[in-house]
Amino acid sequence: MATTPLGLPSRALYAQATVSVASGTGCGMIFVAPKTGTIDAICVGITATSGSPTITVGLEGATATRSPDGTYKNSGNAKVDLVNPSTGVAWRTLGSTASVTAGDALAATVRYSSGTSATIANACSAETQDHPFAISLSGGTWSQSSNMPMIA
């Protein structure tokens, strides 16, 4: 069985949000780190692209209100910009590995950066102490997605 970057089964709990990514939009998952370790990739499914979009995939902290805190882990380096990404589901390797501690509230996020739109399904796998849930960004505001949580 494949494993996640934390060494957990890849078919554990996960949350999924599907959005058309354009200016001011994105999606992601809020979850609690199940153990102390590192995260170096986030699983993202891209179902369609048009033109040449750039999206940013990253790992952020989460606030007490269960929204991303807007700061990428590891001094802002736990992210990767995908320029005109190919379609399909794949682990996207972050620019820098993030160290996490068991119990940390985290947000795996996918945000529009520039270019034309893409339709993405952010399906992040994690075995968590707290059920993960999907979030969507619209007009600069994060909200819980209607299709969360999910169990694979």
Side-chain angles (χ1 to χ4, degrees):
M1 176 180 285
T3 60
T4 66
L6 283 175
L8 301 168
S10 62
R11 294 190 52 83
L13 294 174
Y14 75 97
Q16 177 176 329
T18 303
V19 296
S20 291
V21 178
S23 184
T25 64
C27 64
M29 181 182 88
I30 301 291
F31 65 102
V32 175
K35 66 179 186 177
T36 298
T38 60
I39 297 176
D40 64 1
I42 295 174
C43 186
V44 178
I46 300 173
T47 56
T49 61
S50 59
S52 298
T54 298
I55 59 175
T56 301
V57 177
L59 182 69
E60 305 175 38
T63 67
T65 58
R66 294 186 170 194
S67 293
D69 65 12
T71 302
Y72 293 108
K73 293 294 188 182
N74 198 15
S75 301
N77 296 309
K79 65 180 176 103
V80 61
D81 289 327
L82 303 176
V83 179
N84 197 21
S86 58
T87 58
V89 177
W91 286 99
R92 311 299 172 141
T93 301
L94 303 176
S96 180
T97 299
S99 295
V100 299
T101 301
D104 284 352
L106 301 168
T109 60
V110 180
R111 299 175 192 249
Y112 168 88
S113 292
S114 65
T116 53
S117 66
T119 300
I120 61 171
N122 176 227
C124 307
S125 297
E127 182 178 338
T128 68
Q129 299 169 9
D130 184 17
H131 291 292
F133 62 88
I135 52 175
S136 296
L137 175 65
S138 179
T141 302
W142 287 99
S143 60
Q144 290 185 8
S145 176
S146 61
N147 56 343
M148 52 76 191
M150 298 179 70
I151 298 175

